[in-house]
Short mmCIF file of all heavy atoms in Angstrom, two decimals:
data_model
loop_
_atom_site.label_atom_id
_atom_site.label_comp_id
_atom_site.label_asym_id
_atom_site.label_seq_id
_atom_site.Cartn_x
_atom_site.Cartn_y
_atom_site.Cartn_z
N PHE A 1475 19.24 -9.51 -9.82
CA PHE A 1475 18.62 -10.00 -8.58
C PHE A 1475 17.15 -9.63 -8.60
O PHE A 1475 16.71 -8.76 -9.34
CB PHE A 1475 19.31 -9.44 -7.33
CG PHE A 1475 19.17 -7.95 -7.14
CD1 PHE A 1475 18.08 -7.41 -6.45
CD2 PHE A 1475 20.12 -7.08 -7.67
CE1 PHE A 1475 17.96 -6.04 -6.28
CE2 PHE A 1475 19.99 -5.70 -7.49
CZ PHE A 1475 18.91 -5.19 -6.80
N ARG A 1476 16.38 -10.35 -7.79
CA ARG A 1476 14.94 -10.14 -7.73
C ARG A 1476 14.55 -9.61 -6.35
O ARG A 1476 14.96 -10.14 -5.34
CB ARG A 1476 14.21 -11.47 -8.01
CG ARG A 1476 12.72 -11.34 -8.22
CD ARG A 1476 12.12 -12.70 -8.56
NE ARG A 1476 12.67 -13.22 -9.77
CZ ARG A 1476 12.26 -12.89 -11.00
NH1 ARG A 1476 11.29 -12.00 -11.13
NH2 ARG A 1476 12.80 -13.41 -12.07
N LEU A 1477 13.77 -8.53 -6.34
CA LEU A 1477 13.34 -7.95 -5.08
C LEU A 1477 12.22 -8.79 -4.46
O LEU A 1477 11.37 -9.33 -5.17
CB LEU A 1477 12.85 -6.52 -5.30
CG LEU A 1477 13.88 -5.52 -5.82
CD1 LEU A 1477 13.23 -4.17 -6.03
CD2 LEU A 1477 15.04 -5.39 -4.86
N PHE A 1478 12.23 -8.88 -3.15
CA PHE A 1478 11.20 -9.58 -2.39
C PHE A 1478 10.95 -11.02 -2.89
O PHE A 1478 9.86 -11.35 -3.35
CB PHE A 1478 9.88 -8.79 -2.42
CG PHE A 1478 10.03 -7.37 -1.99
CD1 PHE A 1478 9.86 -6.34 -2.89
CD2 PHE A 1478 10.38 -7.06 -0.68
CE1 PHE A 1478 10.02 -5.01 -2.50
CE2 PHE A 1478 10.53 -5.73 -0.28
CZ PHE A 1478 10.36 -4.71 -1.20
N PRO A 1479 11.98 -11.87 -2.80
CA PRO A 1479 11.78 -13.27 -3.18
C PRO A 1479 10.91 -14.00 -2.16
O PRO A 1479 10.60 -13.45 -1.08
CB PRO A 1479 13.21 -13.83 -3.19
CG PRO A 1479 13.93 -12.98 -2.18
CD PRO A 1479 13.34 -11.60 -2.32
N GLN A 1480 10.52 -15.22 -2.47
CA GLN A 1480 9.67 -15.98 -1.57
C GLN A 1480 10.31 -16.21 -0.21
O GLN A 1480 9.62 -16.26 0.82
CB GLN A 1480 9.32 -17.33 -2.21
CG GLN A 1480 8.33 -17.24 -3.36
CD GLN A 1480 6.99 -16.68 -2.89
OE1 GLN A 1480 6.35 -17.23 -1.99
NE2 GLN A 1480 6.57 -15.58 -3.50
N SER A 1481 11.64 -16.32 -0.18
CA SER A 1481 12.34 -16.52 1.11
C SER A 1481 12.13 -15.30 2.02
O SER A 1481 12.01 -15.44 3.24
CB SER A 1481 13.84 -16.73 0.86
OG SER A 1481 14.39 -15.64 0.13
N TRP A 1482 12.06 -14.11 1.43
CA TRP A 1482 11.83 -12.89 2.21
C TRP A 1482 10.42 -12.90 2.78
O TRP A 1482 10.21 -12.60 3.95
CB TRP A 1482 12.05 -11.66 1.34
CG TRP A 1482 11.85 -10.37 2.07
CD1 TRP A 1482 12.77 -9.70 2.81
CD2 TRP A 1482 10.63 -9.61 2.15
NE1 TRP A 1482 12.20 -8.55 3.35
CE2 TRP A 1482 10.89 -8.47 2.97
CE3 TRP A 1482 9.34 -9.78 1.63
CZ2 TRP A 1482 9.93 -7.52 3.25
CZ3 TRP A 1482 8.38 -8.83 1.91
CH2 TRP A 1482 8.67 -7.71 2.71
N TYR A 1483 9.44 -13.24 1.94
CA TYR A 1483 8.05 -13.29 2.41
C TYR A 1483 7.89 -14.32 3.53
O TYR A 1483 7.17 -14.08 4.51
CB TYR A 1483 7.12 -13.65 1.24
CG TYR A 1483 6.72 -12.47 0.40
CD1 TYR A 1483 7.28 -12.27 -0.86
CD2 TYR A 1483 5.78 -11.55 0.85
CE1 TYR A 1483 6.90 -11.19 -1.65
CE2 TYR A 1483 5.40 -10.47 0.08
CZ TYR A 1483 5.96 -10.28 -1.17
OH TYR A 1483 5.59 -9.21 -1.94
N ALA A 1484 8.55 -15.46 3.38
CA ALA A 1484 8.46 -16.49 4.41
C ALA A 1484 9.08 -16.03 5.73
O ALA A 1484 8.58 -16.32 6.81
CB ALA A 1484 9.13 -17.77 3.93
N ALA A 1485 10.19 -15.28 5.63
CA ALA A 1485 10.89 -14.81 6.83
C ALA A 1485 10.05 -13.81 7.62
O ALA A 1485 10.08 -13.80 8.85
CB ALA A 1485 12.22 -14.18 6.44
N VAL A 1486 9.26 -12.98 6.92
CA VAL A 1486 8.47 -11.96 7.61
C VAL A 1486 7.00 -12.38 7.78
O VAL A 1486 6.21 -11.64 8.36
CB VAL A 1486 8.53 -10.61 6.86
CG1 VAL A 1486 9.96 -10.09 6.84
CG2 VAL A 1486 8.00 -10.74 5.43
N GLY A 1487 6.64 -13.58 7.29
CA GLY A 1487 5.29 -14.09 7.45
C GLY A 1487 4.22 -13.34 6.69
O GLY A 1487 3.12 -13.13 7.21
N MET A 1488 4.52 -12.93 5.46
CA MET A 1488 3.57 -12.14 4.68
C MET A 1488 2.99 -12.90 3.49
O MET A 1488 2.34 -12.31 2.64
CB MET A 1488 4.24 -10.84 4.20
CG MET A 1488 4.56 -9.86 5.31
SD MET A 1488 5.49 -8.39 4.74
CE MET A 1488 4.34 -7.67 3.58
N GLN A 1489 3.23 -14.20 3.40
CA GLN A 1489 2.70 -14.96 2.28
C GLN A 1489 1.25 -15.38 2.51
O GLN A 1489 0.77 -15.39 3.65
CB GLN A 1489 3.58 -16.20 1.99
CG GLN A 1489 3.56 -17.26 3.08
CD GLN A 1489 4.59 -17.06 4.15
OE1 GLN A 1489 4.64 -15.99 4.74
NE2 GLN A 1489 5.39 -18.09 4.43
N TYR A 1490 0.54 -15.69 1.42
CA TYR A 1490 -0.86 -16.17 1.46
C TYR A 1490 -1.82 -15.16 2.10
O TYR A 1490 -2.78 -15.53 2.76
CB TYR A 1490 -0.96 -17.50 2.23
CG TYR A 1490 -0.04 -18.57 1.70
CD1 TYR A 1490 1.09 -18.94 2.43
CD2 TYR A 1490 -0.29 -19.20 0.49
CE1 TYR A 1490 1.95 -19.91 1.95
CE2 TYR A 1490 0.57 -20.17 0.00
CZ TYR A 1490 1.69 -20.53 0.73
OH TYR A 1490 2.53 -21.49 0.25
N LYS A 1491 -1.57 -13.87 1.90
CA LYS A 1491 -2.44 -12.85 2.48
C LYS A 1491 -2.91 -11.86 1.42
O LYS A 1491 -3.14 -10.68 1.70
CB LYS A 1491 -1.70 -12.10 3.60
CG LYS A 1491 -1.36 -13.00 4.80
CD LYS A 1491 -0.64 -12.22 5.89
CE LYS A 1491 -0.30 -13.12 7.07
NZ LYS A 1491 0.42 -12.38 8.14
N VAL A 1492 -3.08 -12.35 0.20
CA VAL A 1492 -3.51 -11.49 -0.90
C VAL A 1492 -4.88 -10.84 -0.64
O VAL A 1492 -5.04 -9.63 -0.87
CB VAL A 1492 -3.52 -12.26 -2.24
CG1 VAL A 1492 -4.02 -11.37 -3.37
CG2 VAL A 1492 -2.12 -12.77 -2.55
N PRO A 1493 -5.90 -11.59 -0.18
CA PRO A 1493 -7.20 -10.94 0.08
C PRO A 1493 -7.10 -9.80 1.09
O PRO A 1493 -7.75 -8.76 0.93
CB PRO A 1493 -8.06 -12.09 0.62
CG PRO A 1493 -7.45 -13.32 0.04
CD PRO A 1493 -5.98 -13.06 0.05
N ASN A 1494 -6.30 -10.01 2.15
CA ASN A 1494 -6.10 -8.94 3.13
C ASN A 1494 -5.47 -7.71 2.46
O ASN A 1494 -5.87 -6.56 2.71
CB ASN A 1494 -5.20 -9.40 4.27
CG ASN A 1494 -5.85 -10.46 5.12
OD1 ASN A 1494 -7.00 -10.81 4.91
ND2 ASN A 1494 -5.12 -10.99 6.08
N GLY A 1495 -4.46 -7.98 1.64
CA GLY A 1495 -3.77 -6.89 0.96
C GLY A 1495 -4.70 -6.11 0.04
O GLY A 1495 -4.67 -4.88 0.03
N LEU A 1496 -5.54 -6.81 -0.71
CA LEU A 1496 -6.48 -6.14 -1.61
C LEU A 1496 -7.47 -5.29 -0.83
O LEU A 1496 -7.78 -4.16 -1.23
CB LEU A 1496 -7.22 -7.19 -2.45
CG LEU A 1496 -6.40 -7.92 -3.51
CD1 LEU A 1496 -7.19 -9.10 -4.08
CD2 LEU A 1496 -5.99 -6.98 -4.63
N GLY A 1497 -7.99 -5.84 0.26
CA GLY A 1497 -8.96 -5.11 1.06
C GLY A 1497 -8.38 -3.83 1.63
O GLY A 1497 -8.98 -2.75 1.53
N TYR A 1498 -7.18 -3.93 2.23
CA TYR A 1498 -6.54 -2.75 2.80
C TYR A 1498 -6.19 -1.74 1.71
O TYR A 1498 -6.41 -0.54 1.86
CB TYR A 1498 -5.26 -3.13 3.55
CG TYR A 1498 -5.50 -3.83 4.86
CD1 TYR A 1498 -4.84 -5.03 5.17
CD2 TYR A 1498 -6.35 -3.28 5.82
CE1 TYR A 1498 -5.05 -5.67 6.39
CE2 TYR A 1498 -6.56 -3.92 7.03
CZ TYR A 1498 -5.90 -5.12 7.31
OH TYR A 1498 -6.10 -5.75 8.51
N HIS A 1499 -5.64 -2.24 0.61
CA HIS A 1499 -5.16 -1.36 -0.46
C HIS A 1499 -6.30 -0.56 -1.08
O HIS A 1499 -6.19 0.65 -1.28
CB HIS A 1499 -4.45 -2.20 -1.53
CG HIS A 1499 -3.30 -1.50 -2.18
ND1 HIS A 1499 -2.13 -1.18 -1.52
CD2 HIS A 1499 -3.13 -1.05 -3.45
CE1 HIS A 1499 -1.30 -0.58 -2.34
NE2 HIS A 1499 -1.88 -0.47 -3.52
N PHE A 1500 -7.40 -1.24 -1.39
CA PHE A 1500 -8.51 -0.58 -2.08
C PHE A 1500 -9.34 0.30 -1.16
O PHE A 1500 -10.12 1.13 -1.62
CB PHE A 1500 -9.41 -1.62 -2.75
CG PHE A 1500 -8.74 -2.34 -3.88
CD1 PHE A 1500 -9.14 -3.62 -4.24
CD2 PHE A 1500 -7.70 -1.76 -4.58
CE1 PHE A 1500 -8.52 -4.29 -5.28
CE2 PHE A 1500 -7.07 -2.42 -5.62
CZ PHE A 1500 -7.48 -3.69 -5.97
N PHE A 1501 -9.18 0.15 0.16
CA PHE A 1501 -9.87 1.05 1.09
C PHE A 1501 -9.02 2.28 1.38
O PHE A 1501 -9.47 3.43 1.24
CB PHE A 1501 -10.20 0.33 2.39
CG PHE A 1501 -10.80 1.24 3.44
CD1 PHE A 1501 -12.13 1.62 3.36
CD2 PHE A 1501 -10.03 1.72 4.49
CE1 PHE A 1501 -12.70 2.47 4.32
CE2 PHE A 1501 -10.58 2.56 5.45
CZ PHE A 1501 -11.92 2.94 5.36
N PHE A 1502 -7.76 2.06 1.77
CA PHE A 1502 -6.92 3.17 2.20
C PHE A 1502 -6.42 4.02 1.03
O PHE A 1502 -5.94 5.13 1.24
CB PHE A 1502 -5.73 2.65 3.02
CG PHE A 1502 -6.11 2.26 4.42
CD1 PHE A 1502 -6.34 0.92 4.74
CD2 PHE A 1502 -6.27 3.21 5.41
CE1 PHE A 1502 -6.70 0.56 6.03
CE2 PHE A 1502 -6.62 2.86 6.70
CZ PHE A 1502 -6.84 1.52 7.01
N MET A 1503 -6.52 3.49 -0.20
CA MET A 1503 -6.07 4.29 -1.34
C MET A 1503 -6.91 5.56 -1.48
O MET A 1503 -6.41 6.61 -1.90
CB MET A 1503 -6.12 3.49 -2.64
CG MET A 1503 -7.50 3.18 -3.15
SD MET A 1503 -7.40 2.29 -4.73
CE MET A 1503 -9.15 2.24 -5.17
N TRP A 1504 -8.21 5.48 -1.13
CA TRP A 1504 -9.06 6.66 -1.23
C TRP A 1504 -8.67 7.70 -0.19
O TRP A 1504 -8.69 8.91 -0.47
CB TRP A 1504 -10.53 6.26 -1.06
CG TRP A 1504 -10.99 5.30 -2.10
CD1 TRP A 1504 -11.31 3.98 -1.92
CD2 TRP A 1504 -11.14 5.55 -3.51
NE1 TRP A 1504 -11.67 3.40 -3.11
CE2 TRP A 1504 -11.58 4.33 -4.10
CE3 TRP A 1504 -10.97 6.67 -4.30
CZ2 TRP A 1504 -11.82 4.23 -5.46
CZ3 TRP A 1504 -11.21 6.57 -5.67
CH2 TRP A 1504 -11.63 5.36 -6.24
N LEU A 1505 -8.32 7.27 1.01
CA LEU A 1505 -7.88 8.20 2.05
C LEU A 1505 -6.53 8.82 1.68
O LEU A 1505 -6.31 10.02 1.89
CB LEU A 1505 -7.77 7.47 3.39
CG LEU A 1505 -9.05 6.82 3.92
CD1 LEU A 1505 -8.79 6.14 5.25
CD2 LEU A 1505 -10.16 7.85 4.05
N PHE A 1506 -5.65 8.00 1.11
CA PHE A 1506 -4.35 8.50 0.65
C PHE A 1506 -4.53 9.55 -0.44
O PHE A 1506 -3.88 10.60 -0.43
CB PHE A 1506 -3.51 7.33 0.13
CG PHE A 1506 -2.16 7.72 -0.41
CD1 PHE A 1506 -1.13 8.06 0.45
CD2 PHE A 1506 -1.92 7.74 -1.77
CE1 PHE A 1506 0.12 8.42 -0.04
CE2 PHE A 1506 -0.69 8.10 -2.27
CZ PHE A 1506 0.34 8.44 -1.41
N ALA A 1507 -5.46 9.27 -1.37
CA ALA A 1507 -5.73 10.21 -2.47
C ALA A 1507 -6.33 11.51 -1.94
O ALA A 1507 -5.91 12.61 -2.33
CB ALA A 1507 -6.66 9.57 -3.49
N LEU A 1508 -7.30 11.41 -1.05
CA LEU A 1508 -7.96 12.60 -0.51
C LEU A 1508 -6.98 13.47 0.27
O LEU A 1508 -7.01 14.70 0.17
CB LEU A 1508 -9.14 12.20 0.38
CG LEU A 1508 -10.36 11.62 -0.34
CD1 LEU A 1508 -11.39 11.12 0.67
CD2 LEU A 1508 -10.98 12.67 -1.26
N ASN A 1509 -6.11 12.84 1.06
CA ASN A 1509 -5.13 13.60 1.83
C ASN A 1509 -4.14 14.30 0.90
O ASN A 1509 -3.77 15.46 1.13
CB ASN A 1509 -4.37 12.67 2.78
CG ASN A 1509 -3.54 13.43 3.80
OD1 ASN A 1509 -4.05 14.25 4.55
ND2 ASN A 1509 -2.24 13.15 3.81
N GLY A 1510 -3.73 13.60 -0.16
CA GLY A 1510 -2.81 14.20 -1.11
C GLY A 1510 -3.44 15.36 -1.87
O GLY A 1510 -2.81 16.41 -2.06
N ILE A 1511 -4.68 15.19 -2.29
CA ILE A 1511 -5.39 16.26 -3.00
C ILE A 1511 -5.59 17.46 -2.08
O ILE A 1511 -5.43 18.62 -2.49
CB ILE A 1511 -6.75 15.74 -3.52
CG1 ILE A 1511 -6.52 14.70 -4.63
CG2 ILE A 1511 -7.60 16.89 -4.06
CD1 ILE A 1511 -7.77 13.98 -5.06
N ALA A 1512 -5.95 17.20 -0.81
CA ALA A 1512 -6.14 18.28 0.15
C ALA A 1512 -4.83 19.04 0.38
O ALA A 1512 -4.83 20.28 0.49
CB ALA A 1512 -6.65 17.71 1.47
N TYR A 1513 -3.71 18.32 0.41
CA TYR A 1513 -2.41 18.95 0.62
C TYR A 1513 -2.05 19.87 -0.54
O TYR A 1513 -1.65 21.03 -0.34
CB TYR A 1513 -1.34 17.86 0.79
CG TYR A 1513 0.06 18.39 1.02
CD1 TYR A 1513 0.36 19.18 2.12
CD2 TYR A 1513 1.08 18.08 0.12
CE1 TYR A 1513 1.64 19.66 2.33
CE2 TYR A 1513 2.37 18.56 0.32
CZ TYR A 1513 2.64 19.34 1.42
OH TYR A 1513 3.92 19.82 1.63
N VAL A 1514 -2.21 19.36 -1.76
CA VAL A 1514 -1.91 20.17 -2.95
C VAL A 1514 -2.84 21.37 -3.02
O VAL A 1514 -2.42 22.49 -3.35
CB VAL A 1514 -2.02 19.32 -4.23
CG1 VAL A 1514 -1.88 20.19 -5.47
CG2 VAL A 1514 -0.94 18.24 -4.24
N ALA A 1515 -4.11 21.16 -2.70
CA ALA A 1515 -5.08 22.27 -2.72
C ALA A 1515 -4.70 23.34 -1.70
O ALA A 1515 -4.77 24.54 -1.98
CB ALA A 1515 -6.48 21.74 -2.44
N TYR A 1516 -4.29 22.90 -0.50
CA TYR A 1516 -3.90 23.86 0.53
C TYR A 1516 -2.68 24.67 0.09
O TYR A 1516 -2.64 25.90 0.26
CB TYR A 1516 -3.60 23.14 1.84
CG TYR A 1516 -2.99 24.07 2.88
CD1 TYR A 1516 -3.78 24.96 3.58
CD2 TYR A 1516 -1.61 24.06 3.11
CE1 TYR A 1516 -3.23 25.84 4.51
CE2 TYR A 1516 -1.05 24.93 4.03
CZ TYR A 1516 -1.86 25.82 4.72
OH TYR A 1516 -1.30 26.69 5.62
N LEU A 1517 -1.66 23.99 -0.44
CA LEU A 1517 -0.46 24.69 -0.89
C LEU A 1517 -0.80 25.72 -1.96
O LEU A 1517 -0.24 26.83 -1.98
CB LEU A 1517 0.57 23.69 -1.45
CG LEU A 1517 1.23 22.73 -0.46
CD1 LEU A 1517 2.18 21.80 -1.20
CD2 LEU A 1517 1.98 23.49 0.63
N THR A 1518 -1.72 25.35 -2.84
CA THR A 1518 -2.09 26.25 -3.93
C THR A 1518 -2.88 27.45 -3.44
O THR A 1518 -2.57 28.60 -3.76
CB THR A 1518 -2.93 25.49 -4.99
OG1 THR A 1518 -2.20 24.34 -5.46
CG2 THR A 1518 -3.28 26.38 -6.17
N ILE A 1519 -3.91 27.20 -2.63
CA ILE A 1519 -4.79 28.28 -2.17
C ILE A 1519 -4.07 29.21 -1.19
O ILE A 1519 -4.24 30.44 -1.25
CB ILE A 1519 -6.05 27.68 -1.51
CG1 ILE A 1519 -6.87 26.90 -2.56
CG2 ILE A 1519 -6.91 28.77 -0.87
CD1 ILE A 1519 -8.02 26.11 -1.97
#
């Protein structure tokens, strides 16, 4: 079976939004990384 087929995307209205996805992903990934690094640093220190 294939995860997230086109029928699933159509049902939740998430198709044709690749530019939005790229913009969100490439911005919030830095915040996700910084929070994760801060967490590991805190546990260590």
Side-chain angles (χ1 to χ4, degrees):
F1475 66 89
R1476 190 177 298 278
L1477 298 178
F1478 307 112
Q1480 287 298 303
S1481 57
W1482 181 86
Y1483 276 105
V1486 297
M1488 292 175 61
Q1489 67 272 54
Y1490 306 107
K1491 295 181 180 179
V1492 177
N1494 293 356
L1496 290 169
Y1498 287 130
H1499 214 67
F1500 293 154
F1501 175 78
F1502 284 99
M1503 71 178 186
W1504 300 111
L1505 301 180
F1506 178 75
L1508 289 174
N1509 191 57
I1511 292 171
Y1513 180 61
V1514 173
Y1516 171 78
L1517 291 178
T1518 304
I1519 296 172

